Each structure stands twice: as structure tokens, then as C-alpha cells.
Amino acid sequence: MKKIVFPKFLISAGFLMLAACGVFAQTAANSTTKSQEVSDGDGIPVLIKHLPDWENAQKRAVYILNQNDLQNALGSRQLLDLIEFQGGTEAVTAPYPQGKLLIVEYASPQSSVEADNRIKQRLTESGQNPAVIYRRTGNYNIFVFDAADENAASVLADEVKYEKTVRWLGTNPYAVLQAERAYLNDTASLFVSTVTAIAGGIGLSLLAGLIAGIVFFYARSRKRANMQAFSDAGGITRLNLDDLTPNILPKKFLKD
């Protein structure tokens, strides 16, 4: 049987291809474990810094980039099945006295809105669980699980701020709704301002009239108190038949 001998350059090329494939696979694996945005100074993912009191919370926080890590961190929950880690989706969770906080950041507003619709539909179908607080802020979908106090959990969720500018890749599908909301807000503000101005004007007018009436009343009262006798003639000349009008004749006539 004739032995097949491969040229050395083919063997070298094969090893180079295998090495390149290994490097590419390692790079791809590392790319799935890296955050989309990391702080330059300390290398901490920016999402972790958006946790309330993140300096202390980072010690117990879990950074998540796949569904398995999400299940391991928070256990098996129906809502977690709706979260898809595709296209740069990342999440972070940390326990707080108010409950277990989970922040899921999507790479685009479209993905966040689609997930928001799925989550709200699931909550509606299963009945709003009082132990779960949910809301969407920017590209953040925020959960608070195992909430003992609903109000405290809501305050915790409100502390999460989305500090990025949301830009749609295409036409904003909510442009009409935003315009209507802005028009309603402006109209309501104008109505409230107008009613407030009218009510304030009426109130000031009544107050000024009341003060003027009081001052006039006391001035007239003081004037009447200083009169020697009351005259119903209004200060005009009248016959002093009842001898009630004081003598207003001059003491001396011209001829005197």
C-alpha cells in the first residue's frame, strides 16, 4: 500500500487555520461576556452604576448576559422567560430590603418596547402580582421581585434613572402620541393658568374692595362722631325750626 505524504506547506497552512479558528472562537466567546458600555476609569459596567446606592450594591450585584445566569440569580420565574438576551441585551440584579431589583437594558428602544408589551400582557393575563413591581424607563425594563411593601418597592424602582438619549433608527412610531400628549399638557397648563389668574384677580378685587369699604366706614363713623348735631339737610341751608342745627352764622357782620 502506497503511503500518502502531504506537503509541509499544506500541514503548516492547516495548523494556521486551526489556530485562527480558535482565536476567532475565543474572541466571539469573550464578546458575549463583555458589557456594551464600561467605565473608563474602573472598568465597571455602566449598568451596575445605575443601581440605587451602587457603591454598596455592587458588592452583592450580579451582572447578567444570558438566560442561564438570569435563572441562577433570580430563580425560575415566568416573567424571566420573556427576556431575550440578543443584540447586546444586558442586565444586573441586586437584593435590597424592598425586594430583588432587576434592571434589563436593551440596545434599542424598539427591543425595549417589544419586551414591555410582552411583559405587560403576561402580567395582565396572570393577574397583577402584588409582589412584583414593573415599569419601563427609557431602554430599561425594571423589576422588583418579592416586594413586601408595594410603595417601598415602587420608590426603589423610581430611583433607577435612564441617563441616555433614546433615538429611533427609523420613524418614531409614538410621534403622534407624543404630539397629542404635549398638546394636552399645554392645553391643561393654559387652562389652569387662566383659571388661576381669573380667580386671583377676583380674589384681589374682593380684598381691595373690602379694605376700602372698611376704611371708608371707619372714616365716616369718625366724622359722624365729631358732629355736634345731626342734620338731614346734607349741609344745605334749612330752617332751624327744631333748633337742632348749630348756629353757623358768623360772629360779626361786615357792617360791624
Side-chain angles (χ1 to χ4, degrees), residues 30 73 113 133 142 210 217 247:
N30 291 336
V113 170
I133 302 299
I142 305 167
L210 180 63
F217 174 78
N247 188 8

Side-chain angles (χ1 to χ4, degrees), residues 7 19-20 55 69 89 92 132 142-143 146 165 167 171 178 212 235 240 247:
E55 292 87 352
D69 293 343
T89 302
V92 64
V132 178
I142 305 167
F143 303 83
D146 305 332
T165 302
R167 296 183 179 178
T171 303
Q178 292 176 354
N240 191 15
N247 188 8

Side-chain angles (χ1 to χ4, degrees), residues 5-199:
V5 179
F6 293 96
K8 292 183 178 181
F9 74 91
L10 291 178
I11 297 176
S12 300
F15 278 112
L16 290 175
M17 291 180 63
L18 291 176
C21 292
V23 172
F24 177 78
Q26 183 178 3
T27 303
N30 291 336
S31 63
T32 58
T33 58
K34 292 182 179 179
S35 171
Q36 296 292 324
E37 190 175 0
V38 179
S39 298
D40 296 333
D42 47 22
I44 299 176
V46 176
L47 185 59
I48 294 180
K49 292 188 176 183
H50 285 182
L51 288 169
D53 190 21
W54 74 270
E55 292 87 352
N56 297 321
Q58 65 173 337
K59 302 175 183 178
R60 57 184 185 273
V62 178
Y63 186 70
I64 302 170
L65 290 174
N66 55 68
Q67 184 65 227
N68 293 332
D69 293 343
L70 182 63
Q71 297 287 344
N72 293 333
L74 293 173
S76 179
R77 303 175 188 267
Q78 294 182 354
L79 290 178
L80 300 182
D81 298 335
L82 302 177
I83 301 175
E84 299 178 356
F85 290 88
Q86 297 177 355
T89 302
E90 49 188 308
V92 64
T93 181
Y96 289 86
Q98 299 90 333
K100 297 179 179 179
L101 176 65
L102 171 65
I103 305 175
V104 182
E105 181 181 8
Y106 290 89
S108 64
Q110 293 89 334
S111 301
S112 179
V113 170
E114 291 175 359
D116 180 67
N117 294 333
R118 293 195 302 267
I119 294 169
K120 288 182 178 179
Q121 183 178 0
R122 178 67 62 84
L123 290 174
T124 302
E125 293 175 352
S126 61
Q128 184 72 31
N129 190 343
V132 178
I133 302 299
Y134 168 77
R135 63 198 55 191
R136 174 178 174 267
T137 303
N139 286 1
Y140 288 169
N141 295 61
I142 305 167
F143 303 83
V144 180
F145 296 102
D146 305 332
D149 187 348
E150 184 176 353
N151 294 330
S154 297
V155 172
L156 176 64
D158 291 335
E159 293 181 6
V160 179
K161 306 298 182 182
Y162 186 79
E163 301 175 349
K164 300 178 182 179
T165 302
V166 179
R167 296 183 179 178
W168 294 86
L169 298 179
T171 303
N172 186 355
Y174 299 98
V176 177
L177 295 178
Q178 292 176 354
E180 291 179 353
R181 187 179 298 110
Y183 174 76
L184 292 176
N185 291 336
D186 294 341
T187 304
S189 300
L190 178 61
F191 176 78
V192 173
S193 301
T194 303
V195 172
T196 303
I198 294 175

